[in-house]
Amino acid sequence: MGKLDVAMLRYLTPEDFRVLTAVEMGMKNHELVPGSLVASIANLRHGGVHKLMKDLCKHRLLTYERGKQYDGYRLTNSGYDYLALKALTNRKVIASFGNQIGVGKESNIYTVADEDKNPLCLKLHRLGRTCFRNIKDKRDYHAHRHRASWLYLSRISATKEFAYMSALHARGFPVPRPVDCNRHCVVMELVTGGPLTHVSAVEDVEALYDELMALVVRLGNCGVIHGDFNEFNLMLDEAGRPVLIDFPQMVSTEHPNAELYFDRDVKCVREFFKKRFGYESTLFPRFTDLERDDRLDQEVACSGYKRTKGIEDDLMQEMGIGLAVSEDEADGDEYEDAEDEKTKDTEDELATLRQQVADSLQHDEPQLTENITKLSIDNK
Ligand code: ADP
Ligand code: MG
């Protein structure tokens, strides 16, 4: 999607919000959610819901599509955006919207402001456009997984980012202050200044080099590797101090490829300094230099940390699609149970979905950042 048409937020009624949430829940196990099911989940009068859905389609928050077996509704990118933004405004985390300030490979970045007009940064994660691409479209369920996956992947990415940012910020790392997270959106402090890639000269090149390398080592000693430590994900604030951003890809130093990721981060800094500032140093950290003094990876349940499941597994499970599936695995035949998808529309299931809608609507109230610790508690 292009620009955020936030004016629409004002026109979304609580019923619209409920219907969109019902479609979101229905999409957990339906590629297309039949109108009658949306009505049941939303627990609103049948006729009324159809009018609401029609209008939501007109505004492109939903689409109505023809499937092989039945027709139904699907949440669009914009629909998902509005759910998250509405939730964040309901919680009074954000009150107004500004301009788009960045387009990453997998995100859109906007300035927003809270009720007191303090500027904040909003990151919308956009994943799933390339993943699951190789899945053979041999069964509807695979197609469903394919088409719904962007929703889960984007949410996982945002949740991970918020968890890392919170854990790093709590330890005094130079990262934006995390404010809140909902679905695929992260709200954080707006960093003044700009990315290092826009900087052509600094006062003390050597000092900055040392500071960045010290940062890589300090992360490593906490048990984590950034994994994308480059001039696009390092910002220099107005005081010329580095601020690290962009965390969804972070891994544990116990990851099987940890050394490779660590060396790659170090190499990024060395090459950038050579290219941009003509600065080279024989001093640079090595993976074997690390002395672990913290367990940030364990706290956040990082990818690669021992055998604990990661955040992604928890969310995937909650979404009812089993453990996180990689692209290669997804091609297999391990989802035979999907055949009886239709029989799942039992009363129990409906009650669960209704409860999830109720929980979701209730959850979108003011929330403190320390809630994240709950998220990161891993499965004992
Ligand atoms: P991606 O994962 O898509 O690379 P990033 O988190 O790296 O997304 O953000 C993309 C760009 O948006 C950054 O290079 C930076 O210019 C800008 N940006 C991101 N976060 C902030 C922030 N907290 N404050 C100011 N600008 C930001
Ligand atoms: Mg980035």
Side-chain angles (χ1 to χ4, degrees):
M1 82 171 244
K3 221 176 128 49
L4 277 180
D5 178 11
V6 290
M8 188 124 51
L9 271 179
R10 263 177 271 140
Y11 303 116
L12 280 186
T13 64
E15 283 75 34
D16 290 323
F17 195 54
R18 178 176 276 268
V19 169
L20 285 176
T21 307
V23 176
E24 180 190 25
M25 298 303 168
M27 280 176 71
K28 288 179 182 182
N29 53 8
H30 291 263
E31 181 190 353
L32 296 169
V33 193
S36 54
L37 182 59
V38 179
S40 309
I41 300 174
N43 221 352
L44 291 169
R45 225 182 63 256
H46 195 80
V49 174
H50 279 277
K51 168 84 172 77
L52 292 173
M53 289 190 291
K54 210 174 143 212
D55 286 347
L56 289 166
C57 283
K58 211 164 73 196
H59 291 111
R60 305 216 170 134
L61 302 181
L62 291 180
T63 56
Y64 185 76
E65 289 175 24
R66 291 179 181 284
K68 284 200 197 93
Q69 280 134 28
Y70 57 90
D71 305 342
Y73 294 89
R74 212 160 54 76
L75 204 58
T76 63
N77 259 319
S78 302
Y80 200 45
D81 290 348
Y82 287 112
L83 276 179
L85 297 178
K86 187 72 175 173
L88 289 165
T89 48
N90 283 355
R91 290 187 199 178
K92 306 202 182 302
V93 170
I94 52 184
S96 63
F97 294 83
N99 298 319
Q100 182 160 3
I101 51 171
V103 195
K105 353 180 246 301
E106 296 182 320
S107 73
N108 293 344
I109 317 276
Y110 296 86
T111 55
V112 292
D114 66 15
E115 292 190 312
D116 301 320
K117 299 198 162 48
N118 298 310
L120 293 167
C121 176
L122 171 77
K123 178 170 175 178
L124 285 89
H125 289 247
R126 306 232 181 265
L127 271 83
R129 284 178 293 210
T130 54
C131 291
F132 298 97
R133 191 174 37 194
N134 304 326
I135 297 170
K136 289 187 208 90
D137 210 339
K138 42 185 176 199
R139 252 181 298 181
D140 253 357
Y141 194 64
H142 275 161
H144 155 66
R145 292 172 54 79
H146 174 89
R147 301 181 66 178
S149 61
W150 61 269
L151 201 130
Y152 313 127
L153 293 172
S154 304
R155 179 170 162 212
I156 286 162
S157 178
T159 307
K160 282 171 82 172
E161 173 144 272
F162 190 71
Y164 286 120
M165 206 187 298
S166 301
L168 290 168
H169 189 261
R171 287 165 173 78
F173 276 94
V175 299
R177 179 177 57 85
V179 176
D180 202 356
C181 177
N182 186 272
R183 294 179 173 83
H184 61 318
C185 295
V186 176
V187 183
M188 64 185 123
E189 178 185 347
L190 181 70
V191 180
T192 56
L196 192 56
T197 185
H198 293 165
V199 174
S200 51
V202 291
E203 231 167 73
D204 191 339
V205 174
E206 190 178 351
L208 182 61
Y209 176 90
D210 291 347
E211 194 169 357
L212 295 181
M213 289 306 190
L215 190 50
V216 173
V217 170
R218 198 177 149 209
L219 288 167
N221 290 343
C222 286
V224 289
I225 300 163
H226 183 275
D228 208 1
F229 198 91
N230 59 41
E231 63 272 27
F232 304 98
N233 294 329
L234 283 159
M235 303 188 66
L236 281 194
D237 68 13
E238 278 172 334
R241 304 302 307 270
V243 179
L244 184 60
I245 59 167
D246 201 358
F247 311 103
Q249 72 291 323
M250 280 179 73
V251 295
S252 164
T253 48
E254 292 184 25
H255 190 283
N257 298 327
E259 182 157 7
L260 197 139
Y261 294 137
F262 181 87
D263 289 345
R264 200 175 60 188
D265 278 0
V266 169
K267 191 166 155 227
C268 273
V269 177
R270 298 183 73 203
E271 288 188 346
F272 175 74
F273 272 71
K274 186 171 157 197
K275 204 172 59 195
R276 181 66 54 90
F277 306 121
Y279 177 85
E280 275 185 273
S281 170
T282 53
L283 291 178
F284 58 90
R286 284 162 223 266
F287 189 66
T288 47
D289 298 339
L290 295 181
E291 292 173 19
R292 186 189 265 269
D293 55 18
D294 202 343
R295 307 235 152 249
L296 196 154
D297 52 340
Q298 186 174 15
E299 183 182 312
V300 185
C302 272
S303 304
Y305 176 74
K306 301 255 182 200
R307 276 153 171 270
T308 61
K309 288 186 293 172
I311 289 171
E312 53 263 68
D313 303 323
D314 288 346
L315 282 181
M316 283 292 195
Q317 213 157 40
E318 182 202 315
M319 292 298 193
I321 47 181
L323 295 184
V325 181
S326 74
E327 247 176 285
D328 356 312
E329 288 172 283
D331 215 13
D333 272 296
E334 59 268 62
Y335 294 99
E336 307 291 353
D337 56 343
E339 302 291 358
D340 51 302
E341 190 166 333
K342 280 220 159 152
T343 60
K344 283 189 198 157
D345 297 344
T346 58
E347 277 306 308
D348 282 358
E349 174 101 15
L350 202 56
T352 309
L353 288 169
R354 278 182 184 158
Q355 188 55 46
Q356 284 170 351
V357 170
D359 289 348
S360 173
L361 294 173
Q362 174 151 42
H363 176 73
D364 294 332
E365 282 175 351
Q367 185 199 311
L368 296 171
T369 41
E370 54 252 35
N371 277 3
I372 194 61
T373 45
K374 284 199 212 115
L375 255 183
S376 52
I377 289 174
D378 57 59
N379 12 249
K380 311 251 152 60

